[in-house]
Amino acid sequence: MTGVISTPKVTGVSVGYRIKQFILGFLKYFSLVFVVFCILLPLVTCFITAAKSEEEFRSTSVMTLPTNWLNFQNYIDAFKMSNMGVAFRNSFIVLVCVCFLTTIMGTMLSYVLSRFQFPGNAVIRGMFTLAALLPGIAMQVAVYKIMGDLGLINSLWGYIIMSCGTDVISMYIFIQYIENIPVSLDEAAIMDGASYFRVYRSVILPLLKPAIVTSLILKGVGIYNEYYTANLYLQDKQKLGTVAISLYAFTGPQGSKYNLICAGVIITLLPALILFLIFQKQIYSGVAAGAVKE
């Protein structure tokens, strides 16, 4: 007799396992939809409110659709009343100057701290960490006194100098990225007769492009949206106001004009949205490369 080879019987997936996977999948997609809803809800309400007249806004609820979606008068009034032309000019000057200066100073200092071992190297790194732990709001009295003694209050260049202060996150991004660049590249350039500054300019700085993009995104978004410091030190709102404080023109003791505020918010979002759509490839590649340590 020939023996019959028995094959193991494949059992199906248990009902409990299927229920567990269904619940986990439902929670995952529900949380994603909920987060997207929370992000888009303020934008949707801004678009709805910006299309309403003042009487329509006061007589209807927030989510009530406007009668005329093509009501661009609010955008025109918001741009003129808040002097947004000057605000965009000032914000552009501040962004360019601050991003340029912080990038140059941050990469130079990171190069020195990463490549050169000298007494006080660890102390300097520790001071940057200490500066990050100190709450900025608690030091405003002393900073305001110093800025006043130097005559930098109500000055756009004074605000730029103050905004170029300690940026610990960018510093650590640069240091981490420089430490992943082989020292042999520096040595090869020095053997060819390059100075330390030439090594920084021709070898280190080009290789820091992903880290620089990451730092510029973080710094640029922070400066563009910064309100407290700009409102405190740029007291002449008509001449020195930035985009973040331009919407303050629609608030007052008689109430706030939220339809104009929402129109102004959409106007301030447009430059950032346009830049993101143009440079999204460079932004994604820069953030991804700057966040990975090899």
Side-chain angles (χ1 to χ4, degrees), residues 49-50 52-54 57-58 74 77-78 81 247-265:
T49 305
K52 295 181 179 180
S53 62
E54 187 173 355
F57 171 74
R58 296 183 183 278
N74 287 339
D77 294 341
M81 294 176 61
L247 302 180
Y248 189 76
F250 307 120
T251 62
Q254 303 300 325
S256 301
K257 299 180 180 180
Y258 289 103
N259 55 331
L260 297 182
I261 292 177
C262 290
V265 168

Side-chain angles (χ1 to χ4, degrees), residues 122-196:
V123 176
I124 296 177
R125 295 194 185 199
M127 290 176 63
F128 275 99
T129 305
L130 180 62
L133 298 177
L134 295 175
I137 192 67
M139 299 184 294
Q140 283 302 320
V141 176
V143 173
Y144 191 88
K145 176 65 175 175
I146 295 173
M147 294 286 289
D149 293 340
L150 296 176
L152 297 178
I153 295 179
N154 206 26
S155 169
L156 194 64
W157 293 108
Y159 175 66
I160 291 172
I161 293 174
M162 188 180 61
S163 299
C164 292
T166 306
D167 192 353
V168 182
I169 297 178
S170 297
M171 282 293 304
Y172 282 120
I173 292 175
F174 292 144
I175 290 176
Q176 171 185 312
Y177 208 86
I178 292 175
E179 289 178 349
N180 292 327
I181 298 176
V183 183
S184 57
L185 296 178
D186 302 27
E187 296 173 348
I190 293 174
M191 290 180 64
D192 290 337
S195 62
Y196 288 122

